[in-house]
Amino acid sequence: MNSKAAGRFPSYWFTAHGILITTGTCSFPVWSTLFEFSPYDRRGHSESTCPPGQGSVREDVADLAALIQDLGLAPAWVAGNSFGASIALRLAAERHDLLRGLIVHEPPLFALLADDSAVAPMLEQVRQRVGAVVERIASGDHAGAAEQFVETVVLGPGSWAQLSPEYQKIMMDNAPTFLDEAKDPEQLVFELEWIKEFTRPALLTLGDQSPPIFGPVVGKLAEAMPRAEVLKFPGAGHIPHATRPDVYAKAIIKFVRTHS
């Protein structure tokens, strides 16, 4: 598993990226001046390899736990975006001893909304749009699938052209892992009971330009977590470290300083 370390003590950070992205899209130079900072590529993404066979979110959680333990850096702050946020939340539920605190942005834990009839139409729309992306990857059209994912699922029309060529290539290269993760029956599953005992500081964030389906998910998590705070970023969407990196980094730094 590829990881990179930068910066210095007193607070050690790990960042878990979301679907299709990688460490290269999660780097904040300002962080390395304040924290020991270790973004890493999740298995099957960019410079991290992946064993053959069907993957599981449980493996992603175990990878992050092992990275923190093997480096002898517990307890650490962990920040996660999208599916990386789901992984971070599962780690907090299973191994709270490894964490000093948690920051998560828009985890796609849509199973939390399964009994909410008010959001059923939005859930169905997301299911259809993600399903179309999965079908396109399976057909071999990784470039088209990555663009479709950005335009119809996470950022909106016209946003693909605003991403750098490097960022676009990373998403295209990581498309096969997206397909594998989509086949994991536990990918979007989470129980609120798992997180109720997590008593460390937690910041749950949203972008005001993000798909509205993430609001109810964050709301349910905030109600369940004893020390959760919620923050919405103006002008940001589902990938704030790409669209509003300075605003995102400053908010995180402020939260950590407040709770350190």
Side-chain angles (χ1 to χ4, degrees), residues 140-257:
D141 183 8
H142 297 175
E147 180 174 355
Q148 187 171 348
F149 179 73
V150 169
E151 297 264 330
T152 67
V153 179
V154 294
L155 293 181
S159 54
W160 177 254
Q162 297 176 23
L163 300 178
S164 69
E166 178 187 14
Y167 198 112
Q168 292 176 351
K169 184 179 185 303
I170 288 170
M171 299 186 80
M172 289 184 280
D173 290 346
N174 290 334
T177 301
F178 182 101
L179 179 62
D180 177 81
E181 291 172 342
K183 294 178 180 179
D184 175 13
E186 294 189 77
Q187 182 195 28
L188 307 180
V189 174
F190 196 82
E191 298 289 343
L192 294 177
E193 290 294 328
W194 298 350
I195 203 69
K196 287 184 176 180
E197 302 302 318
F198 184 73
T199 57
R200 309 291 171 89
L203 179 64
L204 313 180
T205 64
L206 295 155
D208 67 359
Q209 302 300 307
S210 296
I213 193 65
F214 290 106
V217 172
V218 169
K220 287 184 178 291
L221 289 168
E223 291 177 3
M225 299 175 71
R227 296 182 63 185
E229 299 178 27
V230 177
L231 177 65
K232 182 175 286 189
F233 297 116
H238 190 57
I239 315 176
H241 47 274
T243 57
R244 296 297 303 275
D246 292 340
V247 172
Y248 182 61
K250 287 178 182 178
I252 289 177
I253 290 168
K254 179 179 179 181
F255 183 78
V256 173
R257 282 176 167 169

Side-chain angles (χ1 to χ4, degrees), residues 110-116 119-128 213 217:
F110 301 133
L112 296 177
L113 308 178
D115 297 326
D116 189 344
V119 300
M122 284 193 292
L123 278 177
E124 177 59 21
Q125 183 181 67
V126 170
R127 187 194 68 79
Q128 291 180 1
I213 193 65
V217 172

Side-chain angles (χ1 to χ4, degrees), residues 11-14 68 73-78 97-102 200:
S11 293
Y12 205 99
W13 272 91
F14 289 85
I68 295 172
L73 295 167
W77 285 92
V78 171
D97 58 301
L98 297 180
L99 302 186
R100 182 175 298 188
L102 182 68
R200 309 291 171 89

